[in-house]
């Protein structure tokens, strides 16, 4: 597994780190870094290697963009530290940063992420960074050289790597430090330094310690590594490009602090329908949305089930969701029966919310999403007829009763399908069984009508088509299509037209078994074969 390549050479106590700037509702992509680091933590501990996972809230960063859900009244706060910006009206948070990170950290508990959370306001204000700040300011010339050598960025001779919080306007994103005498820095709050905030023009001298300002974030990264003793921290690929943020922070750690950088784990973007997401712009599904939607183990599996070097291109369409659940269920069934490979068992352990999570009988997402659209169906009774075998089934030869674990996880699947229908399903992915033959069905061709009549004959010939296994119904459909003959696509279109009034619908094997037997057969025979439109378009057949 990918995780072996990362952990096989590690020994001795490890301090893992990750962080997030809470500039808006946190998108689901930010969970990838969290869960990759958590998976490494679990793996190290399984090898009896002491490990700690630190998670930083970068709440001393300036507000450099308005969150998508922020009111215009917050515009005057642009440029101030996020932890100094008021929380939205009605929030119980102390400030904007706290408001957004509370929602995100709540997901940690649901996913059983064992992280020790720290906030940069506390790191700065407690004086814990004072030594690192002094070290960096004293070597400002070295850091200017590093910027130029590593990234080609030219810094003027007077530039010093620090930003104070202006005592007059409270902004940090508009200040420039030009000198350091060992105790105080000289600063200017410039009106036009950045486009997203306006400084007040104040200039003077102030101590840089005990929270009166902060380091530029690339240097703050190096200061974290040096101060917190971090040995391992991954980052998104945009930070790991040649001459990028990671290279600068690593060079500063080596040349200024005389330490070696932590082990890096570059990971690819988490995309939603091919688009990179942004917290402040509200682009992409939020982490909270996904945690409300996906069962915890499926969300963990989504993030750790593939190599971090591969991008995850997530979408909420039914084909993708079906594939995601089916892939997890494949590993789960192998684990239930003991037939899985070692990697499957380990992947399950990383996906589960705790190492002691029990096995359960998975309910196929596609099937559940169909059943909850059939109001007349008792879902649990229907599912018992479509039950996926478990170890107990194989041993006894009889279907095992639903266990408490089966029921609990099954309810999570039902909840996920209901959430998907309410928030993500397209009109083409929802349906209603029509009480009367839809008018659109009259356009079906002679071949399609003949197929429906033949399918009705096949279903009528079996003892109990109602509740019959879905794959058997699918087999009848293919047999009827071959007998006419008719293309499979046209055959399924005919079924959906007479039952749903649509050209597309759910997997027919997930629909027909749960409709009343007489109703299905009568509806399949509702259209006479004669009198259908001709397939050549030359009039009535």
């Amino acid at each position: 597994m990918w995780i072996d390549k990362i952990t096989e050479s590690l020994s001795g106590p490890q301090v893992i780190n990750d962080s997030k700037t809470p500039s808006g509702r946190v998108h689901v992509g930010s969970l990838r870094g969290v869960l990759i680091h958590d998976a490494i933590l679990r793996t190290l501990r399984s090898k009896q290697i002491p490990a700690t996972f630190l998670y930083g809230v970068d709440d001393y960063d300036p507000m450099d963009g308005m969150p998508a859900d922020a009111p215009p009244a917050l515009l005057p706060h642009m440029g101030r530290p996020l932890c100094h910006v008021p929380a939205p009206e009605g929030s119980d948070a102390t400030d904007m940063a706290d408001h957004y990170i509370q929602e995100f950290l709540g997901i940690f508990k649901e996913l059983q992420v064992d992280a020790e959370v720290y906030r940069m306001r506390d790191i700065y204000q407690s004086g814990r960074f004072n030594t690192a700040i002094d070290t960096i300011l004293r070597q400002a010339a070295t850091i200017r050289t590093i910027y130029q050598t590593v990234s080609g960025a030219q810094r003027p001779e007077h530039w010093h790597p620090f930003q104070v919080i202006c005592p007059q306007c409270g902004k940090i994103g508009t200040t420039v430090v030009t000198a350091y005498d060992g105790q105080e820095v000289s600063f200017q709050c410039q009106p036009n330094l950045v486009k997203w905030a306006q400084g007040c023009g104040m200039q003077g001298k102030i101590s840089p310690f005990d929270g009166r300002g902060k380091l530029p974030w690339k240097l703050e990264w190096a200061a974290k590594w040096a101060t917190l003793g971090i040995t391992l921290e991954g980052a998104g690929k945009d930070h790991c490009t040649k001459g990028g943020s990671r290279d600068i922070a690593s060079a500063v750690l080596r040349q200024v602090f005389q330490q070696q950088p932590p082990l890096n784990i570059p990971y690819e973007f988490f995309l939603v329908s091919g688009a990179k997401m942004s917290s402040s712009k509200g682009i992409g599904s939020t982490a909270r949305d996904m945690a409300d939607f996906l069962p915890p183990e499926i969300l963990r599996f989504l993030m750790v089930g593939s190599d971090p070097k591969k991008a995850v291109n997530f979408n909420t369409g039914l084909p993708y969701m079906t594939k995601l659940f089916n892939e997890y269920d494949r590993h789960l069934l192998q684990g239930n029966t003991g037939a899985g490979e070692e990697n499957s068992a380990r992947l399950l352990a990383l996906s589960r919310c705790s190492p002691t999570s029990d096995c359960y009988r998975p309910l196929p997402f596609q099937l559940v999403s169909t059943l909850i659209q059939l109001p007349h169906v008792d879902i649990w009774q229907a599912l018992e007829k479509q039950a996926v075998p478990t170890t107990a089934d194989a041993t006894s030869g009889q279907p095992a009763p639903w266990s408490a674990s089966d029921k609990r996880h099954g309810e999570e699947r039902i909840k996920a399908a209901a959430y998907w229908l309410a928030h993500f399903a397209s009109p083409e992915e929802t349906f209603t069984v029509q009480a009367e033959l839809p008018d659109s069905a009259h356009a079906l061709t002679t071949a399609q009508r003949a197929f429906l009549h033949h399918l009705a004959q096949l279903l009528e010939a079996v003892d109990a088509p109602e509740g019959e296994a879905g794959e058997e119904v699918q087999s009848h459909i293919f047999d009827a299509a071959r007998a006419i003959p008719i293309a499979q696509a046209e055959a399924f279109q005919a079924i959906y037209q007479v039952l749903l009034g649509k050209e597309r619908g759910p997997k027919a094997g997930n629909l027909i078994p749960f409709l009343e037997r007489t109703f299905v057969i009568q509806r399949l025979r509702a259209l006479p074969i004669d009198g259908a439109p001709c397939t050549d378009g030359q009039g009535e057949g």
Side-chain angles (χ1 to χ4, degrees), residues 132-167:
I133 291 169
D134 178 67
T135 301
I136 286 173
L137 285 171
R138 288 181 185 277
Q139 299 192 56
T142 300
I143 289 171
R144 289 194 291 267
T145 300
I146 290 173
Y147 269 88
Q148 183 173 7
T149 303
V150 175
S151 67
Q154 186 77 36
R155 295 289 188 269
E157 288 298 316
H158 65 268
W159 179 85
H160 280 62
F162 196 76
Q163 290 178 286
V164 305
I165 299 174
C166 178

Side-chain angles (χ1 to χ4, degrees), residues 101-132:
I101 208 64
Q102 272 188 18
E103 181 182 76
F104 191 52
L105 296 180
I107 301 169
F108 285 30
K109 297 178 182 178
E110 297 167 19
L111 301 181
Q112 295 298 301
V113 173
D114 187 13
E116 297 179 14
V117 177
Y118 64 93
R119 300 179 188 242
M120 289 310 297
R121 72 178 85 178
D122 298 328
I123 298 292
Y124 279 108
Q125 292 172 2
S126 68
R128 195 171 180 186
F129 255 19
N130 286 354
T131 299

Side-chain angles (χ1 to χ4, degrees), residues 47-99:
K47 297 180 177 182
Q48 308 304 311
I49 296 175
T52 302
F53 180 17
L54 304 179
Y55 193 82
V57 180
D58 294 336
D59 54 2
Y60 236 43
D61 289 0
M63 184 169 79
D64 58 5
M66 287 282 283
D69 58 348
L74 287 184
L75 276 172
H77 295 279
M78 290 287 287
R80 292 176 179 163
L82 289 165
C83 61
H84 292 178
V85 179
E89 186 176 353
S91 173
D92 62 356
T94 58
D95 51 74
M96 174 186 279
D98 187 50
H99 171 76

Side-chain angles (χ1 to χ4, degrees), residues 333 336-337 359-363 380-407:
L333 289 172
N336 288 351
T337 60
C359 295
Y360 61 92
R361 183 180 345 206
L363 307 182
W380 286 105
Q381 284 187 0
L383 290 172
E384 285 179 356
K385 298 173 183 178
Q386 303 281 322
V388 178
T390 65
T391 304
D393 296 324
T395 303
S396 66
Q398 298 295 326
W402 293 97
S403 69
S405 179
D406 291 337
K407 281 279 190 177

Side-chain angles (χ1 to χ4, degrees), residues 17 132 183 189 302 322 329 341 372 434 445 470 511 527:
N17 187 68
Q183 294 187 349
C189 184
L302 174 65
T322 299
D329 292 347
E341 298 178 356
I372 63 175
Q434 301 298 302
T445 65
L511 174 64
L527 291 169

Side-chain angles (χ1 to χ4, degrees), residues 318 369 373 420-433 500 502 504-506:
L318 184 58
S369 67
Q373 297 186 73
W420 175 78
L421 282 168
H423 296 88
F424 301 122
S426 67
E428 291 76 22
E429 293 169 328
T430 61
F431 67 88
T432 301
V433 177
L500 311 178
K502 303 175 69 169
R504 296 178 178 83

Side-chain angles (χ1 to χ4, degrees), residues 311-455:
V312 175
N313 191 6
F314 176 84
N315 73 74
T316 53
L318 184 58
Y320 185 95
M321 298 316 306
T322 299
K323 180 181 178 181
L324 172 64
F325 277 84
N326 286 351
E327 184 65 15
Y328 180 82
D329 292 347
R330 180 177 67 83
H331 291 289
L332 182 63
L333 289 172
Q334 289 179 344
N336 288 351
T337 60
E341 298 178 356
E342 179 185 354
N343 282 354
S344 290
R346 294 176 60 208
L347 185 54
L348 283 176
L350 296 177
S351 300
R352 287 170 173 157
C353 285
S354 72
T356 58
S357 293
D358 46 4
C359 295
Y360 61 92
R361 183 180 345 206
L363 307 182
F365 181 82
Q366 190 176 39
L367 172 61
V368 175
S369 67
T370 298
L371 292 181
I372 63 175
Q373 297 186 73
L374 299 173
H376 68 284
V377 170
D378 181 309
I379 289 183
W380 286 105
Q381 284 187 0
L383 290 172
E384 285 179 356
K385 298 173 183 178
Q386 303 281 322
V388 178
T390 65
T391 304
D393 296 324
T395 303
S396 66
Q398 298 295 326
W402 293 97
S403 69
S405 179
D406 291 337
K407 281 279 190 177
R408 183 173 67 256
H409 287 283
E411 291 291 352
E412 288 184 349
R413 295 284 176 105
I414 294 170
K415 177 184 174 184
Y419 191 96
W420 175 78
L421 282 168
H423 296 88
F424 301 122
S426 67
E428 291 76 22
E429 293 169 328
T430 61
F431 67 88
T432 301
V433 177
Q434 301 298 302
E436 304 293 337
L437 180 69
D439 291 340
S440 59
H442 291 282
L444 293 179
T445 65
T446 300
Q448 287 176 309
R449 297 179 185 213
F451 157 76
L452 293 173
H453 279 255
H454 191 63
L455 177 60

